[in-house]
Amino acid sequence: MAQSVRQQGAGEQHKLPVRTLVSASIGNAVEWFDWTVYATFLVYFSGQFFPSENEALSLIGTTSTYALAFFFRPLGGVIIGRFADLRGRKAGMLLTILLMAGGSLMIALLPTYAAVGWLAPALLLVARIAQGLSLGGEVSGASAYLAEIAPPERRGRYSAFFYISTGSALLLASLLGVLLTAVLDQAQLESYGWRIAFAVGGLLGFVGLWLRRSLVESESFEENAEKARATTNPLLRTIREYPRSVLQLCAFTLLSTLSYYTFFSALTPFAVNFRDADGNDVFIALSIGTALFIALCYPYGALSDRIGRKPVLLAWSAATAVLVVPLSFLVRDSLPSLIVVFCVGLGLYAAMASLAPAIMSELFPTELRATGIGAWYNTTVAVFGGTAPLVITALSSRGMPTVFFWYVAGAAVVAFLGILTLPETKGTDLR
């Protein structure tokens, strides 16, 4: 299947292998559904795993657990990324979806702090570690697979499916939030409503596992399997032989991860807890913004195949630097204002998200691709994305919420400078 996809190539009659793209991307969708459910519902279940009499301490404890799990993403990226470079993209993607689904079901069934004391947050951390390892390996494996099966002149289009699936999963998570906040009151949400969301994520994992079992290895992996097995110290080799690629990946991932966690995760508890926004309004605005994000991914991917990766990425980073601070003043108890915030923020982010698998895969050769992406992408995400909800919560509690958005603007400047150094790779063959 992968070989036939590559051979269709350049002709006008090229037909997207939708079944293959959906099967490859569905696992990523499950991963991000589960990950986002935690971030968006933590405001409701924080008191279940930490002492409920201190609301601020419970929220900090839950967001800290969220952040700590991120630091297992680089480990998962290295271990599972190397596994995918040695054993195949399909094997790596099956492993990651099993870990993520298992972690989600575990959280759905965990006992509370009132029942077992400090064992509750300890078990929560174990489940989150499993999810952190899983997501660390998922991004590298799925990104490499989509890039490797794509014809060079259509890699941006194929790449877009990665975050089309992600956006669809996030939209499902947001709509589930709308539904649960509409039909359940605060006490019900805190008691058992959040468990429903995690159970749905676990069940979706088995659907993804069934779809992925039919995937065929990419031709690029099969051609370079022996080279990957002969490679020693792959992580060190990415630094020694491709330091420029590592720095470039970290630069644009810095803004990418802050954009993602600002608009998809951190703004929800921030708007509810510190700007007195209605929870249902936030979920509605997030759902509208996410639908726009999904709609824009494929056009952005196609645009990058036409005009190049760099123009699209430079426009994204420059616009984010200029607009993110003004947007922060629109986060308030007003549905129209919230819709503007999420639509502008996620509309901009779609430009980067649509290209992420393509641009990351183009930085490293096949025998190091999953390891290189897994290690350095996830390290950057752990340091900056994992701490985003904690940072915005801490700053807001001290009366300085706007500082966080200046922080994102600064990251946009760094990303812009890093993108300027990228070579243009549209239409080129992968190494």
Side-chain angles (χ1 to χ4, degrees):
M1 182 182 298
Q3 185 174 3
S4 64
V5 169
R6 293 278 300 277
Q7 289 174 341
Q8 285 177 359
E12 292 183 6
Q13 300 303 314
H14 178 85
K15 186 177 181 180
L16 282 174
V18 175
R19 180 183 176 87
T20 298
L21 294 173
V22 170
S23 297
S25 302
I26 188 67
N28 185 63
V30 173
E31 304 276 355
W32 286 106
F33 176 90
D34 290 343
W35 202 266
T36 303
V37 158
Y38 186 100
T40 53
F41 282 89
L42 65 84
V43 67
Y44 299 111
F45 68 78
S46 58
Q48 299 294 311
F49 294 111
F50 293 89
S52 58
E53 60 270 12
N54 190 327
E55 183 177 344
L57 180 61
S58 295
L59 191 60
I60 290 174
T62 312
T63 53
S64 296
T65 302
Y66 179 84
L68 284 171
F70 272 79
F71 289 91
F72 285 87
R73 286 185 58 166
L75 181 61
V78 172
I79 294 174
I80 302 177
R82 180 58 174 164
F83 177 76
D85 280 338
L86 291 174
R87 299 290 299 276
R89 313 307 187 206
K90 177 181 177 180
M93 291 190 290
L94 289 174
L95 174 60
T96 57
I97 200 170
L98 280 172
L99 282 172
M100 180 61 72
S104 188
L105 287 175
M106 181 177 175
I107 294 174
L109 299 173
L110 281 181
T112 65
Y113 180 86
V116 297
W118 287 103
L119 180 61
L123 291 174
L124 176 65
L125 182 59
V126 169
R128 290 292 297 151
I129 288 172
Q131 292 184 318
L133 292 170
S134 171
L135 192 51
E138 171 65 22
V139 174
S140 56
S143 294
Y145 186 82
L146 286 171
E148 289 169 2
I149 67 170
E153 70 280 0
R154 295 177 181 271
R155 196 174 296 126
R157 295 170 173 86
Y158 279 52
S159 172
F161 274 80
F162 186 87
Y163 272 98
I164 289 174
S165 71
T166 301
S168 299
L170 298 176
L171 180 59
L172 177 60
S174 180
L175 291 175
L176 184 61
V178 172
L179 175 63
L180 291 177
T181 54
V183 301
L184 301 177
D185 59 30
Q186 183 80 11
Q188 291 170 322
L189 284 168
E190 293 176 354
S191 177
Y192 64 86
W194 57 272
R195 292 186 186 272
I196 297 173
F198 284 105
V200 169
L203 294 175
L204 285 174
F206 291 104
V207 175
L209 182 65
W210 181 80
L211 287 172
R212 279 192 164 176
R213 66 186 175 86
S214 64
L215 290 176
V216 178
E217 282 298 346
S218 74
E219 183 181 348
S220 293
F221 168 77
E222 292 176 341
E223 291 174 350
N224 289 273
E226 287 299 325
K227 189 182 293 186
R229 284 190 281 271
T231 298
T232 57
N233 300 317
L235 185 59
L236 179 60
R237 188 178 161 196
T238 63
I239 303 173
R240 185 176 61 244
E241 299 183 18
Y242 303 96
R244 186 183 181 92
S245 294
V246 169
L247 291 174
Q248 290 165 336
L249 187 151
C250 291
F252 62 69
T253 300
L254 165 63
L255 177 58
S256 176
T257 191
L258 284 177
S259 296
Y260 177 93
Y261 289 103
T262 296
F263 293 102
F264 276 126
S265 298
L267 275 184
T268 299
F270 168 74
V272 172
N273 291 322
F274 300 107
R275 291 295 178 84
D276 298 319
D278 179 76
N280 191 250
D281 283 351
V282 175
F283 280 121
I284 291 172
L286 176 57
S287 299
I288 294 171
T290 304
L292 177 65
F293 172 87
I294 295 167
L296 289 175
C297 276
Y298 190 82
Y300 277 134
L303 181 65
S304 79
D305 284 334
R306 189 173 303 115
I307 69 172
R309 317 287 189 230
K310 286 183 70 172
V312 176
L313 295 178
L314 287 171
W316 158 68
S317 55
T320 302
V322 171
L323 294 175
V324 69
V325 174
L327 282 176
S328 70
F329 293 102
L330 294 178
V331 181
R332 55 177 182 264
D333 187 17
S334 166
L335 180 58
S337 291
L338 291 170
I339 290 173
V340 170
V341 170
F342 283 108
C343 284
V344 173
L346 293 177
L348 286 174
Y349 179 56
M352 169 59 197
S354 63
L355 307 185
I359 198 70
M360 291 191 298
S361 295
E362 290 163 348
L363 291 173
F364 300 100
T366 300
E367 69 271 16
L368 295 174
R369 185 163 295 126
T371 302
I373 296 172
W376 304 114
Y377 170 86
N378 286 295
T379 297
T380 308
V381 170
V383 174
F384 298 100
T387 57
L390 186 61
V391 170
I392 196 171
T393 299
L395 290 172
S396 297
S397 65
R398 289 167 172 77
M400 301 183 295
T402 307
V403 173
F404 177 82
F405 298 94
W406 281 106
Y407 169 54
V408 177
V413 174
V414 173
F416 183 88
L417 296 175
I419 292 164
L420 281 175
T421 69
L422 284 171
E424 183 52 66
T425 51
K426 78 177 181 73
T428 60
D429 290 324
L430 292 176
R431 287 178 284 180

